[in-house]
Amino acid sequence: MGVFDKVKHQAQQLTGRAKEATGSATGNDELRDAGKRDQVEGQVKEKGQDLKDKAAGAAEDVQDKLKGEGGTSGSADR
């Protein structure tokens, strides 16, 4: 699910860049500003997703280490 979300956030940033460029070219300050907001929002969401994915990976690493210390490495399951 993380990959889909990342692509979605990158698409939002791309849409924002297009809005910003169109707004700048036409002198439409509202459209330009909306494009900037879309870019920032997409970047924030993407960074948040990256942090969420890293936290999930760290939690899995801890679980794997705890399983290894308990005498069962779990390697037979992989």
Side-chain angles (χ1 to χ4, degrees):
M1 185 161 98
V3 172
F4 175 74
D5 289 334
K6 187 169 184 135
V7 169
K8 185 170 65 170
H9 303 318
Q10 289 175 344
Q12 182 178 12
Q13 292 173 53
L14 182 62
T15 301
R17 283 193 292 274
K19 283 183 183 179
E20 182 181 6
T22 302
S24 293
T26 60
N28 185 334
D29 292 340
E30 289 181 32
L31 184 59
R32 185 194 68 219
D33 293 344
K36 287 181 181 182
R37 280 192 303 273
D38 285 348
Q39 290 178 69
V40 170
E41 187 177 329
Q43 291 169 349
V44 168
K45 288 179 181 178
E46 186 176 356
K47 295 294 181 189
Q49 186 65 43
D50 289 344
L51 290 173
K52 183 178 173 184
D53 291 345
K54 285 180 184 179
E60 288 176 14
D61 289 346
V62 169
Q63 287 177 343
D64 290 345
K65 287 180 182 178
L66 291 174
K67 287 179 184 177
E69 290 176 6
T72 58
S73 65
S75 60
D77 295 336
R78 294 180 189 180

